[in-house]
Each structure stands twice: as C-alpha cells, then as structure tokens.
Amino acid sequence: MLENDSDNELLTEIAVAYYENEQTQEEISQRFGISRIKVGRLLKKARTEGIVEITVKYHPVFSSNIEQQFIEHFGVKRALIAVDHRDQDEQRQQVAALVSNYLSSVLKNGMSVAVGQGRNVAAVASHVGVFPERQCKFICGIGGTQRAGELIDADHISRHFARKFNAVSETLYAPAYIENSELKKAFIQNRLIKDTLDRASKADIALIGLGDMNENSYMVQLGWFTSQEIISARLNQGVVGDIAGYSFFDIHGQPVDTVMNDRVIGLNLEELRHIPCVIAIASENTKAMAILGALRSGVIDIIATSASNARTVLNLHQQT
C-alpha cells in the first residue's frame, strides 16, 4: 500500500505524464530526477494501487476482420487482438487484459485450468480487476523454476490465479528442468508427480506462452539450454519457436526433435492437443514466426497477441 499522500501524488503525476501527456519514460526520469528503471516500477505500482486502470479498446471492424482471417486460416476458436503499444511491458499488459477478461467469462464452476510459465502468463494472473468467485482448480502444467526478481514460475502463477478467483491451486512437485532424459523418466514415475501431470492433461483450459528461438531467451537465461543449442536448432533444423517453453516446432507446425527435447517436466504437445481449450499468449513483436508455427501445429485453440503481430502472421502465412 502507499505510505502517504505524497507518494500517491507522485504516482498520479507520473501516470498522467506517461499515459495522458505521452511523455517517454526517459523524459519522466529527467523531469522528476529519478532513474528510468524506477519510473517503470512506479508506473507498475500505479496500476497495482488502482491509480491507473488499463482498458483495451480497438475498432470492432478491425478486430473482427483479423479474427475471422485467423479462424479461416488456422481453425482457431478465437483471436484476441490487442492494440499496439511501443512499450513492451505495456504491450504485455494490453494482451493480458484481453486474456484475463476472456478467462473470467468462460471459467465455470468445476473446471480445471492447466497453467504454464513465463511473463505473458504471469501478466494475465496479475491483471488488476474484480473477478467472480469460481469453484475451480488451477494446476501447474510444468515443474518449478527459479529466477531472481521475477515470479514467473507456474506454481506462483497458479496460486495467483487461485487467489483471484477464490479457487484452489495444485502444485507440481518437480523441477521444470532436468539434465537428461533418463533422469526425467525417473522423476515422472513418481506417483505424486505423475498424478498431478495426469490431472493437468485432463484440464478444460490450458494457459501457455509461446517462445521464439532467441539465443537470449527466457530458457537460456534460466540455464535450461545454451545459446549455441538454440542457434543450432534455429539454423540447422529450422526451429522457429516453442510451445510452453520446451516443445519445439518448425514454420509448418511440425515437431522437431532437438538435443533439447526430453529435459523438461511438463505437459507435452500431444497432451495439450487433447485439452479442449488451449490459450496461447505471445505479446512480443519478435514472435510472429513462432506464432505462425504454433498455429499450424493444430494445438492452439485461442491466440492472444498484438495487432502488429497478427498482421505479420497473416502476411507470413501467405508467403509460406
């Protein structure tokens, strides 16, 4: 909570400068004599404290036309298209708002949701709003990870969702990353781990992120894979992205067997394919190729991304 009225006034001034006056974070930094990093933190705090409420608005004709093309070309049920924003964090929030509102509208009592990891999924769980209580369960669809400064592992996200809907959360008591496939086989024979994954595979909804093959990706930063392995998979095997952080595919949506396969404890592509509603989230403008490949895999039922990504995906689809 805010400590006093002066804190409240500062957050309000910075929020007005950024959202109303369209000043950059660098300009606000110089104006108030604080670092750009602190400006970003204060803007995030302004949303958390309810000083700023983000409502995504876009022209209905634009969104319906784009969505219809996605339905026709890729067989998805919905395409949630957010307006473009120059700031990556704000873009992620715009996409998260659409997913959060959609989830609250379709989530019913008795349903279960398999939860993935990453910043895009975490943004949906942390979206500010008032949500109806649901007698449902959020289940981790991948094991645990650790990364200093960011709470973007599946267990934290699942618990956050459960608090939002006054529901329950189930932890997958296993590490996400395993050094080799033999060790992974040993882990998933454990009854506790196996039962949780089995329940996750029978979920009504899955919330997952899409990754691109960037040598500085989230997976590389976590230490799961090396940048050389990512580059080799991209250049030598034609891998364009991953679903949920570890299931790799090419531009045609076909799975690719890389040296990185079988190192992660979580739901695989075939298990995701049998979940009735798989919602994939990708807000970053570097992920158009990954989105296209994922859509062609036939695993994705609902895609959530930005307008610029959506246009790029459709253009790439026509070219390839």
Side-chain angles (χ1 to χ4, degrees):
M1 297 295 292
L2 294 174
E3 295 178 359
N4 51 51
D5 289 342
S6 62
D7 290 338
N8 196 350
E9 291 173 4
L10 176 61
L11 290 182
T12 302
E13 282 190 75
I14 289 175
V16 169
Y18 187 75
Y19 291 104
E20 296 292 333
N21 300 335
E22 297 186 347
Q23 293 183 355
T24 65
Q25 292 190 21
E26 182 61 35
E27 290 170 336
I28 296 171
S29 169
Q30 295 176 3
R31 173 182 167 186
F32 289 91
I34 56 179
S35 70
R36 188 183 180 282
I37 293 176
K38 187 171 183 179
V39 171
R41 289 174 180 165
L42 290 173
L43 286 170
K44 185 175 291 186
K45 188 174 183 180
R47 291 197 306 271
T48 303
E49 298 291 342
I51 292 173
V52 173
E53 294 184 355
I54 297 175
T55 302
V56 179
K57 295 181 180 179
Y58 48 92
H59 197 285
V61 173
F62 165 81
S63 62
S64 62
N65 286 343
I66 290 287
E67 182 171 32
Q68 189 58 41
Q69 290 182 68
F70 270 72
I71 292 170
E72 291 173 359
H73 289 301
F74 307 113
V76 295
K77 298 173 184 175
R78 290 292 310 274
L80 307 177
I81 311 298
V83 293
D84 293 322
H85 200 287
R86 63 182 180 275
D87 183 85
Q88 183 171 287
D89 290 335
E90 289 304 321
Q91 183 69 83
R92 187 175 296 114
Q93 292 298 325
Q94 298 275 21
V95 175
L98 291 178
V99 179
S100 183
N101 292 335
Y102 177 80
L103 182 64
S104 67
S105 70
V106 299
L107 193 60
K108 309 298 181 186
N109 290 338
M111 282 187 170
S112 61
V113 181
V115 178
Q117 63 175 6
R119 284 176 289 185
N120 282 305
V121 183
V124 179
S126 62
H127 178 65
V128 178
V130 179
F131 298 93
E133 181 175 322
R134 289 287 182 263
Q135 295 175 8
C136 59
K137 177 180 283 189
F138 293 88
I139 309 171
C140 294
I142 185 172
T145 61
Q146 273 195 329
R147 185 180 180 191
E150 288 189 290
L151 297 173
I152 51 180
D153 68 293
D155 188 48
H156 173 80
I157 298 170
S158 183
R159 291 173 186 270
H160 205 152
F161 271 121
R163 287 194 296 271
K164 174 184 284 191
F165 290 96
N166 196 24
V168 295
S169 172
E170 181 173 346
T171 301
L172 176 57
Y173 289 102
Y177 173 78
I178 301 295
E179 284 73 14
N180 57 68
S181 59
E182 291 302 314
L183 191 53
K184 174 185 173 180
K185 289 178 184 176
F187 262 95
I188 61 177
Q189 309 239 337
N190 176 275
R191 175 57 59 184
L192 186 64
I193 296 171
K194 187 176 180 181
D195 286 350
T196 298
L197 281 174
D198 185 57
R199 282 188 285 273
S201 71
K202 294 179 173 64
D204 301 284
I205 300 171
L207 283 170
I208 59 170
L210 297 179
D212 57 0
M213 298 306 290
N214 187 315
E215 51 266 36
N216 296 314
S217 71
Y218 171 66
M219 298 176 296
V220 174
Q221 293 174 25
L222 285 172
W224 292 8
F225 314 122
T226 67
S227 57
Q228 289 77 16
E229 287 172 332
I230 295 290
I231 293 170
S232 176
R234 186 180 70 221
L235 298 181
N236 300 329
Q237 296 183 277
V239 177
V240 297
D242 67 81
I243 290 177
Y246 54 92
S247 293
F248 302 97
F249 52 83
D250 62 20
I251 192 65
H252 305 293
Q254 295 299 313
V256 179
D257 187 14
T258 75
V259 296
M260 299 175 285
N261 286 29
D262 289 328
R263 294 200 216 166
V264 176
I265 295 178
L267 297 177
N268 59 40
L269 280 178
E270 286 309 307
E271 289 169 328
L272 286 170
R273 196 184 302 277
H274 287 91
I275 293 176
C277 181
V278 176
I279 303 174
I281 314 161
S283 64
E284 297 83 357
N285 60 12
T286 59
K287 293 186 175 180
M289 292 277 283
I291 294 170
L292 178 57
L295 288 168
R296 287 173 168 173
S297 74
V299 174
I300 309 305
D301 298 293
I302 295 175
I303 182 68
T305 190
S306 67
S308 60
N309 269 343
R311 289 191 294 267
T312 303
V313 167
L314 290 171
N315 288 334
L316 286 170
H317 182 60
Q318 292 176 349
Q319 295 169 15
T320 57

